């Protein structure tokens, strides 16, 4: 359908965009081997000493662990709340439905610093159940993770025919069975890709975390501290390079899983 | 499915049926319970926090002890809306956010089209991974890498020099911020646009060709309008995220690159003047509220 | 049905309103304890068992492994440091979350009084800190950390804000602060992103425009203040970037974006260690500087580890290590000999053997107050400085 010229230019464009996306990442990986403390161009020399020193750095381990815990918890909460919200909004008509949709998008649409400030003041005011630390980090992250899951699930629900549910019940399944055998498989891949995105956002979050972490360091906060200091920067590069390498597999798998269901395009 | 019928679990199975029948007949009950969970979370924590923050914008702080002084006044708002400095900063922030959004839309569209229509399923999966992976490589590390690329003796000038082109002095400037922001939020624009284009049935494009439209005409009249909600959805992210950011201006901004976020952060994280920060934070709040209303009209919410 | 909708909306709005008013009304104090002084009674008479952890707020370069790791090994207190690039940040961090999130802060003179006034720090018993006896006399009970004989922390290190320049690109070597106000190096200059920088401008004006009558760069009346702000606004087009993180300045020099800057010796040392041709100097007009104190939070969760830290960091060897690393002067006079052991000549280089005259020549950071100290009360206070700074850099 597209002309040959169009095809070629689109291929070229695609390659340029990929190059654009990965140039900084290539630099990050290459500079993990930087001989010098300070980043400068061109690279001054190669060494693998940073890998060892990062591995033995207790601060990194603590920060990484905290980030993982927070991301897992926030994603889990988001999956439950986001799915519930998505179903409520898509399947039922009630007053204020538009407003609810609007509210659910606020955490992503409002600047992170507002969310961070607001939650910080709130935690200080309310006090007891919200002592600064892992708990408050999780709450902060959950606010936008819920939104991500909500959007993914509701998009999928909208593309699914409601007659599937009716058919299930006509065949004698009760509510729980319908959910387990019909609804859940339909939304499962949307949940997976949404959960992965939510996890990524939580894992890499800086702004809201700055205000809700108290004295603790998540990985991004640790990275920021190292960037401030300007010493031993290659340790940051090492950590990021390793994370990229480790996440290639899960991201690819999640992608393979989320092949579209519902309306097929080429039928 | 029939295992519970004969066994001793029969009463619980029957109870479950009765319960689900109740929910079926009173659909609103199910809806309410489902909604209650996330709504409670949001209302009691997130919304309450936002409202309290907005209220504090009407208060002030004692300069020496930075204690909150709860006397109602409009001083903060007056300063924010009349002082030229704050106006300049707000205009700069909104301007760059808009530039970033337009840039990302232009860059993402052909890429998303390629992904949706020209790529084989395997290629498509690969491209997906390639687009999502940068989100896992720390935002901070990527912005910091741009510092190296754009520096006076950095990678970009080194390449331009090798190619015999004049070098650029764009490090630590608004240009640098524009480039870096466009880079960072690109995946957020690509995904919704891809989703929108991918939903266009082949038959539409075939029909368009059948009716005699050449390539560009089809793109303009069929693809673009249908991809538009996706563009708007992506623009919500690029615009909002740029509007509220303060880290990229800190890392790659120059002498005249202060963003609203920087002023807010300087007042909260540094000067501990939360009321003033909250007052200034109403600017991006209002801008985004307006943007969301417009985006909704343009159908972005269905395309997220 | 429509009426029902309105009723429901009204109910929702009322709910949100009640919620907000309640939160606003009965919210607890959100700025730290308000009883001035934070004096919680008798001072401890000995250091108790360590709590296993210590949360610090420190300047970049103050918590290097070199002296932190031996401390952790000896006392079992795991150090967790959060960096701050300005006194404002330190004050805010100390007050964050109602105070008590951090145990100690390495506050400079322009933060310490604010912290004391805000009740965020508590007095310490200097008898428990042996290094104190060997302190440089002016730093034993300086006005910025000792009030009415109560010591709110122990002096740590002190030093000047220097003029940093690229020796290859800036010739001849600059001897005056005029270098950073000179259009000759337009777009290649950097200064700190910190309202206290106004004092540096005032210091410069005190010698170049003596009829303004500036004697103390932190006590400025309206005319003096306006002059300083104007100078900074004129300087703005020359500035490449206002550095907020130490690494900003390091990267700016390393990658050729900047050739002149107002700096800390920490940047000089880091750049020179990486073979970048830079040097720093204290220009003829003099310099502002800092005198830091490790202060103990009024709500510290790990007070024993905090005392252990104060004891450790004031001993001659850690003092020497930190002084050489950062490029500052230790409070403990015995550190001088140790500095020369580590790096011959470093004691003299970093004024470890300083006398009163040199000490007095540095205009240490202090919080600008409306009270000018000489009977007049029309000086600009710090809020005015902050607002002016936003205007300058905005």
């Amino acid at each position: 359908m597209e002309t040959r010229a169009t095809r070629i230019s689109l291929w070229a464009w695609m390659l340029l965009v990929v190059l654009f996306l990965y140039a900084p990442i290539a630099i990050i990986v290459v500079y993990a081997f930087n001989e010098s403390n300070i980043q400068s161009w061109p690279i001054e020399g190669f060494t693998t000493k940073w890998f060892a020193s990062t591995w033995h750095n207790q601060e990194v381990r603590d920060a990484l662990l905290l980030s993982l815990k927070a991301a897992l918890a926030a994603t889990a909460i988001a999956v439950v709340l986001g799915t519930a919200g998505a179903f409520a909004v898509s399947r039922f008509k009630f007053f204020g439905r538009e407003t609810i949709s609007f509210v659910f998008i606020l955490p992503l649409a409002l600047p992170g610093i507002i969310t961070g400030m607001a939650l910080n003041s709130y935690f200080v005011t309310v006090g007891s159940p919200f002592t600064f630390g892992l708990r408050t980090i999780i709450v902060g992250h959950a606010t936008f993770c819920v939104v991500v899951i909500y959007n993914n699930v509701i998009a999928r629900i909208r593309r699914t025919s409601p007659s599937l549910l009716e058919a299930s019940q006509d065949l004698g399944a009760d509510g729980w069975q319908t959910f387990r055998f019909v609804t859940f498989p339909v939304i499962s891949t949307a949940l997976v890709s949404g959960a992965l995105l939510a996890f990524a956002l939580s894992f890499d979050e800086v702004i809201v975390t700055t205000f809700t972490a108290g004295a603790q360091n998540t990985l991004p906060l640790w990275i920021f501290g190292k960037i401030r200091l300007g010493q031993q920067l290659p340790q940051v590069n090492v950590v990021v390079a390793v994370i990229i390498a480790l996440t290639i597999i899960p991201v690819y798998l999640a992608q393979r899983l989320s092949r579209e269901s519902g309306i097929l395009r080429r039928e | 499915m029939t295992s519970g019928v004969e066994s001793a679990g029969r009463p619980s199975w029957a109870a479950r049926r009765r319960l689900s029948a109740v929910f079926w007949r009173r659909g609103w009950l199910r809806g309410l319970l489902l909604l209650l969970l996330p709504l409670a979370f949001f209302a009691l924590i997130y919304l309450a926090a936002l409202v309290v923050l907005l209220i504090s914008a009407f208060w002030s702080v004692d300069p020496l002890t930075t204690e909150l002084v709860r006397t109602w006044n409009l001083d903060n708002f007056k300063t924010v809306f009349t002082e030229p400095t704050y106006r300049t900063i707000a205009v700069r922030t909104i301007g760059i956010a808009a530039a970033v959004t337009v840039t990302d839309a232009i860059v993402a569209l052909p890429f998303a089209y390629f992904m949706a229509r020209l790529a084989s399923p395997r290629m498509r999966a690969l491209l997906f991974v390639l687009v999502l992976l940068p989100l896992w490589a720390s935002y901070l590390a990527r912005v910091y890498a741009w510092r190296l690329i754009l520096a006076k003796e950095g990678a970009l000038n080194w390449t331009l020099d090798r190619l015999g082109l004049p070098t650029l002095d764009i490090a630590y400037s608004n240009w640098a911020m524009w480039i870096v922001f466009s880079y960072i939020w690109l995946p957020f624009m690509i995904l919704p646009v891809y989703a929108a284009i991918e939903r266009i049935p082949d038959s539409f494009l075939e029909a368009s060709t059948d009716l005699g439209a050449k390539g560009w005409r089809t793109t303009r009249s069929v693809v673009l309008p249908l991809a538009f909600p996706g563009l708007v959805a992506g623009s919500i992210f690029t615009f909002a995220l740029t509007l509220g950011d303060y880290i990229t201006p800190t890392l790659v901004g120059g002498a005249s690159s202060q963003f609203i976020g920087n002023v807010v952060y300087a007042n909260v994280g540094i000067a501990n003047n939360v009321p003033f920060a909250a007052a200034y934070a109403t600017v991006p709040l209002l801008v985004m509220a307006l943007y969301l209303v417009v985006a909704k009209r343009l159908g972005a919410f269905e395309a997220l | 049905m429509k009426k029902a909708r309105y009723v429901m909306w009204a109910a929702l709005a009322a709910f949100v309103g009640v919620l907000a008013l309640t939160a606003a009304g009965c919210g607890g104090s959100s700025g730290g304890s308000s009883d001035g002084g934070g004096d919680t009674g008798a001072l401890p008479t000995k250091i108790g068992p360590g709590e296993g952890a210590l949360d610090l707020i420190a300047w970049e370069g103050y918590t290097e492994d070199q002296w932190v790791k031996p401390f952790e090994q000896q006392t079992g207190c795991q150090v967790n440091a959060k960096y701050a690039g300005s006194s404002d940040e330190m004050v805010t961090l100390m007050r964050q979350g109602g105070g008590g999130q951090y145990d100690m802060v390495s506050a400079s003179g322009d933060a310490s009084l604010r912290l004391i006034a805000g009740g965020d720090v508590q007095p310490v018993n200097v008898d428990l800190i042996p290094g104190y006896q060997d302190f440089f006399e002016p730093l034993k009970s300086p006005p910025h950390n000792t009030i009415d004989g109560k010591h709110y922390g122990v002096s740590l290190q002190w030093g000047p804000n220097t003029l940093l320049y690229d020796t290859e690109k800036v010739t001849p070597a600059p001897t005056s602060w005029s270098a950073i106000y000179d259009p000759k190096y337009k777009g290649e200059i950097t200064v700190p992103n910190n309202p206290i920088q106004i004092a540096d401008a005032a210091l410069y004006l005190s010698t170049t425009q003596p009829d303004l009558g500036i004697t103390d760069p932190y006590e400025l009346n309206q005319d003096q203040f306006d002059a300083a702000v104007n100078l900074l606004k004129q300087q703005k087009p020359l500035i490449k970037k206002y550095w907020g993180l130490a690494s900003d300045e390091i990267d700016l020099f390393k990658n050729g974006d900047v050739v002149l800057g107002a700096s800390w010796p920490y940047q000089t040392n880091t750049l020179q260690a990486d073979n970048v041709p830079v040097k720093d100097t204290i220009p003829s007009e003099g310099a502002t500087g800092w005198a830091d104190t490790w202060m103990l939070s009024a709500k510290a969760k790990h007070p024993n580890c905090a005392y252990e830290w104060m004891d450790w960091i004031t001993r001659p060897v850690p003092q020497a290590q930190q002084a050489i690393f950062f490029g500052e002067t230790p409070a403990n006079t015995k550190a001088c000999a140790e500095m020369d052991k580590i790096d011959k000549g470093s004691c003299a280089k970093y004024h470890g053997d300083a006398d009163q005259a040199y000490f007095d020549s540095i205009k240490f950071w202090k919080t600008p107050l409306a009270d000018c100290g000489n009977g007049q009360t029309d000086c600009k206070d710090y809020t005015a400085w902050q607002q002016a700074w936003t205007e300058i850099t905005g």
Side-chain angles (χ1 to χ4, degrees), chain A residues 9 17 35 56 63-64 78 82 104 164 178 202 244 249 260 266:
Chain A
S9 12
V17 170
E35 183 72 51
H56 290 120
L64 194 58
F104 277 164
L164 278 175
T178 308
S202 160
I244 296 179
I249 306 282
E260 299 298 326
R266 292 209 146 97

Side-chain angles (χ1 to χ4, degrees), chain B residues 51-52 63 65-68 70 85 92 144 147 151-153 169 171-172 250 253-256 258 268-272, chain C residues 20 23-24 28 30-32 88-89 92 95 169 236 239-241 247-248 251-252 255-257 383 386 390-391 393-394:
Chain B
V51 170
V52 174
T65 62
T66 65
E67 288 277 319
L68 215 55
R70 286 160 208 232
T85 316
R92 178 189 304 140
Y144 196 73
R147 255 193 5 187
K152 195 175 274 184
E153 291 165 13
D169 188 15
Y172 307 105
T250 306
S256 299
Q258 293 271 70
V268 178
I270 299 181
N272 211 9
Chain C
S30 48
D88 286 349
E89 260 189 271
T92 302
R95 293 180 177 160
K169 296 180 190 153
K236 185 170 179 193
I239 304 279
K240 180 74 179 175
K241 182 175 173 64
S247 65
D248 282 346
D251 286 341
L252 282 165
N255 290 307
D257 287 292
T383 321
Q386 283 170 331
T390 311
E391 272 173 53
T393 58

